[in-house]
Amino acid sequence: MRKNFGRLFPDSSYRPPGLGRPLVWLAISVLSIGAVVGCKGDLSTKPRSVLIYPARPMAVSRDLVLGDGSVAPGELIREVNISYPVDPDSVADANEVLVLPGEYDGPVVVEFTGSFALDNGTIPVSDVMRDGYVMWYSDQDMLLSRRIDLILGDTAANGDTHYLYLPLEIASDSFQVVSTRDPGKGLIVHWGQAVANTLGQYPGGSGSYSPTCAIMLSFLCLAAPPHDSSYISTTPPVGTIRIRAYKGSAVPSISVSCTPSPVERGQEVVFSAVRDGGGPLPTISEWKFTSAALSAPIIEPTSDTVWSGIVATSGEVTVTGTLDGDSVVGNGQIVVQARDWGNDTVRYEVVPKDQTGVLPVQPTKVGHLGATANVGDLIPLPEEHEQITSGPQSGVWYWLHTPVQAQSWIYINRAALQVNSDFYLLQPATYTAPDSCLQSDVLPFVPLVEAHEGLHLETDSHAEVFRRKLNELVPPVAEPVVSLGIPQDLDAKTATETSAAILQAQLYAKDSSNGGVVLPVPYCYFRYF
Amino acid sequence: MYSQMISMPVWVTLRQLYSITASLVLLLAVSTSVSAQTARKDAPECSTVVEGLHPGMASASLMHGLVNVDRCPERGPVALARIWEAPPSDTAALETLGNVTLSVRDVRVIPAIVKTLDNSSMPRSIRLAALGTLVRLYSPDHVVQFKQRQGKNTTDQIYVLMGEWSHPVGDDGASPITQVDRDRLLAVITRCSQSNSDPGIRSAASQVLVRLGVGTR
C-alpha cells in the first residue's frame, strides 16, 4: 500500500529552480525561525491549512500534454539518469539538455521512469513531479522535509527558459508527455532537491516541541504532517529517475465525417471514413452505431468507406479498419434534431354520450346537469410509425406523427333539462326569491351546459382546454422516442413518456373546484329537492 | 360544474343575523343527521325498476330498464349483479350497464363481475367491460375504454383509453365499497394482469395498473 509520505503546499506557486541552492535554503531557514511564531499564531486562530492530496488542480501547460497514443515515440534523442539523494554540499540542482535548440523541431516524447523508496513504501515518479510535493522523514528524531524538483523547460538559443508544469493526475512509475515547441527551441529538464530541517524533535513528547508550522517560505507556511508514522519515513527518499527524450511521430489515424450534422430526425446522413491529414483511404472492415436511446449497438460488417441512411436519434459512429497495415479505429458523432411538430397534433374528437348511469334523471346537485370525461392514451395508427431498413440506424423504429388518441366524452342531462321533466316541475313557475331559478330558466341553461362541457369545443370548456393542453404537452415528448426491435417496444417507451403528459392535461381540464382551470357557469340557483 | 350567481346584500340587520345563525344551527343538525346515515334509500318506484330487469334480456329493453336503477341503491345492485351474470353482448348496452353499475357503487355487485371477467367462455368484449367496471369501482375518478389495434404489424395487443371526470359522478349503493373492498379489487385486477386466460386481457389489465400508478410496464 502506498503511504502518504508526500504533502502539498496548500497554495504553492512555482518555485524557480534557484531556490534549490543550499545558501538560499539556509537563508530561508534563518528567516523561518523568526517568522514561525507568527505563523503558528495564525494557525491557532484560523482554520489550519488542509494539506489534502492533491491540494489543487495541476496547472495544465499549453505546451505539454500527457501521452495519449496519438504521438508515438520514435528515435531516441537523449537519455538522462538522476539519482537521489544528491549531496547538497556538492551540487543541488542542474539542467540536463534533452534536445538542443534547433536540433529537432518536431514533437518530443519525454518518458519518465522510476520511483522513490522510503522505509515502508514507494512513491512513483509522477507523484514526485507534482507541484509542491514534499516527502517527510525523520533523522535523529528531527523532522525533515525533502522536496525533489524535476521540471521540464523549453529553451531558446539565447538561454531563455520557459518552465513547463506537468498536467499529472495519475500515479505511475512511468509516463510520457509530449512536448510541442516553437521552431528553434530546445528542451531541458531541471533537477534538484531541497532539504529543510524542522524546528524541533519529532515525534513530539513530553517537553519536546511539536511543530505545527515547519517552514516559512516566502509567505507560505508548510504545515507539519500528522503525528502518524504512516506519514513519516525513518529514512530519506532514495531513487533513480530515468528520463528519455524521443522524436515523436504522429500515429496514423482515421476519423468519421458526418454530413449533414446536425440533421432533422427522419432525414438521411452520410458517414465517411477519412484519413486524418489526408492520404490514401483506410481499408474498412466494420461500421458501428451506438446510442443511449437504443438497447443495442447497430453493427454492419462492410468494406465500404461510406455508411449512409435515414437517422432518427443522436449517437456515436465507430469505424474499424486498417491503415498502412495497422489497425485503426475512427469515431464520429451525429446530432439529430427534433422536427417541428407544432401542427402534428393529437388525434382528438368530441363524443356526445348517453347520460344513463352517469347523470341521473332526477339530479340532486348541479354536477348532475352535465359532465365530461377526458380520455387519452397511446393508440398508434399503423402509418404513424416507421422502421429504418438500412444504414447506420437499420432496425430503428420512430414516429412519423403523434401516436396519441384522445376524446372528450360529453354528457348533458337532457332528461332533466327539458320542459315538464320532474326537475323542470320542481322549479317555481313564478318569482320567489332573488337568484332562484324559475321553470323558464331550465331550457336556456342547456346551451350554457354544452358550452361549459365543450360540446362544440367552445373556448375554455372542459373539452377545449383538454385538447389545447394535450397538443402543448404530448407531441414534444413523443417526437424523439425511438426503439430497436419490434414496434411494441416503441409503443411501450412512448407510453411511458406520454402518459404523464396526458394525465397533466386531464387534471388541467377539470373544474376549478376540482383542481383544474375550467371556471363555473354563473347562473341562478336550481332546486333539487 | 355550474355555480349559481350569488348576490348577497351588503347590510345585514340584527334580526337577519339571528335568522342566519338559527339557520346555520339547523343546517348543522341536518347535515349531522344525514352523515350519520350509512346509505341512501330506494325510491318508491324501485320495485318496478328491479322487477323489469332480467338476465339475458334484449339490449334495447335492458338499456331502457337501466335508466332509473341509480335511484335504487338498495335493490339496484342486486338486480345489476344478476345482469352481470348474463350480460348483453352489444357494446352500447355494455357501456350503459357499466355506467349504471357505477351510479350505485356497491360491494354486492362485485362477485358477479369478477365471475364474468374470469369466465373464459365469455366473449372478450364482455370480459373487458367487466374489467373496466371493476377498475372504475376501484377508482371512481377514472373512466376506461379498451381498443384493439388495427392495420399492419398488428398483434393481439389491446390499447387502453383512460381518463378522468371533470368532477365526481355516480354515487354509493346501500353497501358502499370500503377500503378493504378496494384492496380486494386491486388484487383481482392484478391477478387478471398475471393469469387471465386471455393474453389480451392480461395486457389490458397491466396497462390499467400502470395508469393507476400501481404497476410497471
Side-chain angles (χ1 to χ4, degrees):
Chain A
M1 180 186 292
R2 276 182 64 231
K3 298 292 183 178
N4 295 319
F5 294 115
R7 289 298 192 186
L8 289 174
F9 285 102
D11 187 24
S12 66
S13 58
Y14 172 66
R15 181 170 60 81
L19 287 180
R21 296 179 187 283
L23 287 177
V24 175
W25 279 106
L26 180 60
I28 290 172
S29 299
V30 170
L31 288 171
S32 299
I33 294 170
V36 70
V37 174
C39 180
K40 187 179 181 184
D42 285 343
L43 289 173
S44 65
T45 56
K46 296 177 182 176
R48 180 172 171 167
S49 298
V50 178
L51 300 178
I52 301 299
Y53 172 86
R56 63 182 176 84
M58 300 299 296
V60 177
S61 167
R62 58 187 168 82
D63 298 312
L64 282 176
V65 294
L66 274 177
D68 61 359
S70 61
V71 178
E75 178 188 344
L76 179 65
I77 304 173
R78 210 151 275 125
E79 177 177 316
V80 175
N81 287 280
I82 304 169
S83 295
Y84 292 90
V86 178
D87 181 1
D89 293 330
S90 56
V91 58
D93 65 319
N95 289 333
E96 295 283 352
V97 173
L98 298 177
V99 180
L100 289 167
E103 180 182 5
Y104 173 68
D105 285 341
V108 174
V109 177
V110 185
E111 181 184 77
F112 294 86
T113 306
S115 61
F116 287 84
L118 291 123
D119 66 338
N120 53 358
T122 60
I123 298 175
V125 62
S126 60
D127 275 359
V128 174
M129 295 183 70
R130 286 173 190 262
D131 185 27
Y133 198 90
V134 173
M135 289 173 276
W136 295 98
Y137 66 100
S138 60
D139 184 13
Q140 298 177 347
D141 295 335
M142 297 297 287
L143 182 63
L144 290 89
S145 68
R146 175 159 293 173
R147 178 172 166 164
I148 304 297
D149 290 321
L150 274 176
I151 307 170
L152 281 175
D154 61 18
T155 56
N158 63 4
D160 287 347
T161 300
H162 169 216
Y163 288 96
L164 309 165
Y165 289 108
L166 297 178
L168 298 175
E169 298 295 341
I170 56 169
S172 174
D173 287 338
S174 180
F175 65 95
Q176 294 178 346
V177 295
V178 179
S179 166
T180 53
R181 304 161 319 288
D182 292 337
K185 285 202 166 187
L187 195 64
I188 63 165
V189 60
H190 171 85
W191 60 268
Q193 70 175 22
V195 182
N197 292 333
T198 62
L199 302 178
Q201 289 187 316
Y202 187 87
S206 175
S208 66
Y209 178 69
S210 298
T212 55
C213 184
I215 297 173
M216 193 68 183
L217 173 62
S218 183
F219 294 102
L220 298 174
C221 180
L222 177 63
H227 290 192
D228 181 336
S229 60
S230 65
Y231 288 88
I232 309 297
S233 172
T234 56
T235 62
V238 176
T240 297
I241 304 300
R242 187 189 73 192
I243 305 164
R244 284 179 169 172
Y246 300 93
K247 290 181 180 178
S249 58
V251 173
S253 62
I254 59 173
S255 58
V256 175
S257 72
C258 174
T259 307
S261 183
V263 64
E264 190 175 87
R265 196 176 336 278
Q267 299 300 307
E268 184 165 326
V269 298
V270 178
F271 296 117
S272 301
V274 294
R275 181 186 186 123
D276 294 330
L281 288 175
T283 302
I284 299 305
S285 57
E286 179 185 278
W287 285 91
K288 181 169 76 173
F289 177 81
T290 56
S291 170
L294 301 179
S295 56
I298 297 164
I299 298 172
E300 184 174 335
T302 176
S303 59
D304 290 342
T305 56
V306 170
W307 204 26
S308 63
I310 291 171
V311 290
T313 190
S314 300
E316 310 285 335
V317 174
T318 303
V319 62
T320 304
T322 57
L323 195 63
D324 303 336
D326 295 324
S327 295
V328 288
V329 174
N331 296 290
Q333 193 175 43
I334 178 67
V335 176
V336 174
Q337 294 179 326
R339 296 155 288 181
D340 179 5
W341 271 17
N343 293 320
D344 208 300
T345 53
V346 170
R347 275 176 281 116
Y348 174 84
E349 60 185 332
V350 171
V351 182
K353 290 273 192 176
D354 176 65
Q355 71 175 82
T356 305
V358 176
L359 302 175
V361 173
Q362 295 187 11
T364 58
K365 54 187 176 184
V366 68
H368 283 166
L369 299 179
T372 299
N374 286 320
V375 302
D377 226 311
L378 180 97
I379 304 183
L381 298 177
E383 62 270 21
E384 286 177 334
H385 61 195
E386 185 169 84
Q387 187 177 33
I388 299 168
T389 54
S390 65
Q393 297 188 9
S394 179
V396 172
W397 288 91
Y398 69 110
W399 295 110
L400 299 176
H401 300 288
T402 302
V404 168
Q405 179 175 338
Q407 294 176 339
S408 291
W409 301 345
I410 293 186
Y411 302 81
I412 307 292
N413 197 337
R414 300 188 191 282
L417 294 171
Q418 63 175 310
V419 175
N420 291 331
S421 69
D422 289 346
F423 178 71
Y424 177 92
L425 297 174
L426 194 61
Q427 313 307 317
T430 57
Y431 176 85
T432 55
D435 307 326
S436 290
C437 291
L438 305 176
Q439 290 179 346
S440 58
D441 293 317
V442 172
L443 283 185
F445 194 54
V446 173
L448 298 182
V449 179
E450 292 176 348
H452 175 80
E453 307 300 344
L455 186 63
H456 308 292
L457 271 177
E458 291 86 346
T459 303
D460 294 333
S461 62
H462 286 296
E464 190 270 339
V465 168
F466 178 53
R467 186 183 71 157
R468 181 167 16 114
K469 202 65 178 175
L470 273 179
N471 286 333
E472 175 190 326
L473 298 177
V474 172
V477 299
E479 195 276 337
V481 181
V482 295
S483 76
L484 188 63
I486 57 175
Q488 284 72 23
D489 291 340
L490 183 70
D491 291 356
K493 285 181 75 174
T494 311
T496 302
E497 301 293 328
T498 55
S499 57
I502 294 168
L503 178 61
Q504 191 177 341
Q506 287 167 337
L507 297 177
Y508 191 75
K510 287 191 172 195
D511 279 314
S512 58
S513 60
N514 202 24
V517 300
V518 178
L519 297 173
V521 179
Y523 207 63
C524 57
Y525 284 97
F526 284 117
R527 284 185 183 177
Y528 295 97
F529 299 99
Chain B
M1 191 130 31
Y2 322 101
S3 82
Q4 294 165 4
M5 194 176 294
I6 300 173
S7 167
M8 291 293 289
V10 176
W11 297 103
V12 179
T13 65
L14 194 60
R15 186 174 176 181
Q16 287 171 316
L17 191 63
Y18 172 79
S19 173
I20 291 169
T21 306
S23 300
L24 285 174
V25 170
L26 182 62
L27 185 64
L28 184 64
V30 169
S31 65
T32 305
S33 169
V34 169
S35 64
Q37 294 176 349
T38 54
R40 296 182 294 146
K41 299 291 184 185
D42 275 359
E45 67 269 27
C46 283
S47 295
T48 309
V49 170
V50 298
E51 285 169 9
L53 294 173
H54 307 287
M57 64 192 299
S59 293
S61 303
L62 175 63
M63 290 177 71
H64 180 73
L66 288 170
V67 167
N68 285 316
V69 173
D70 63 288
R71 305 192 66 201
C72 310
E74 294 176 304
R75 282 171 288 181
V78 178
L80 289 173
R82 288 200 303 271
I83 302 296
W84 272 110
E85 288 177 359
S89 57
D90 77 273
T91 53
L94 277 171
E95 184 176 344
T96 300
L97 177 61
N99 284 339
V100 171
T101 303
L102 271 294
S103 71
V104 280
R105 294 185 295 262
D106 195 292
V107 69
R108 291 170 292 168
V109 78
I110 293 175
I113 305 176
V114 173
K115 192 175 174 184
T116 297
L117 173 65
D118 290 340
N119 186 348
S120 59
S121 65
M122 288 277 190
R124 174 185 272 183
S125 58
I126 292 176
R127 299 173 73 189
L128 285 173
L131 174 62
T133 305
L134 291 173
V135 170
R136 293 171 63 190
L137 287 171
Y138 168 76
S139 179
D141 287 344
H142 283 97
V143 293
V144 61
Q145 191 177 67
F146 301 102
K147 288 181 176 288
Q148 183 99 27
R149 185 176 181 144
Q150 296 171 338
K152 69 175 182 181
N153 300 314
T154 56
T155 64
D156 205 23
Q157 187 166 359
I158 290 171
Y159 287 91
V160 177
L161 198 59
M162 212 157 167
E164 301 210 7
W165 290 105
S166 54
H167 58 262
V169 299
D171 214 332
D172 286 333
S175 300
I177 293 170
T178 64
Q179 182 58 46
V180 173
D181 300 323
R182 292 185 71 238
D183 292 342
R184 288 176 181 156
L185 279 167
L186 183 59
V188 168
I189 300 165
T190 303
R191 177 173 55 79
C192 175
S193 72
Q194 297 164 346
S195 60
N196 193 282
S197 57
D198 184 331
I201 294 176
R202 287 202 301 271
S203 167
S206 296
Q207 293 178 67
V208 164
L209 291 172
V210 172
R211 287 297 303 271
L212 292 173
V214 291
T216 55
R217 285 185 190 274

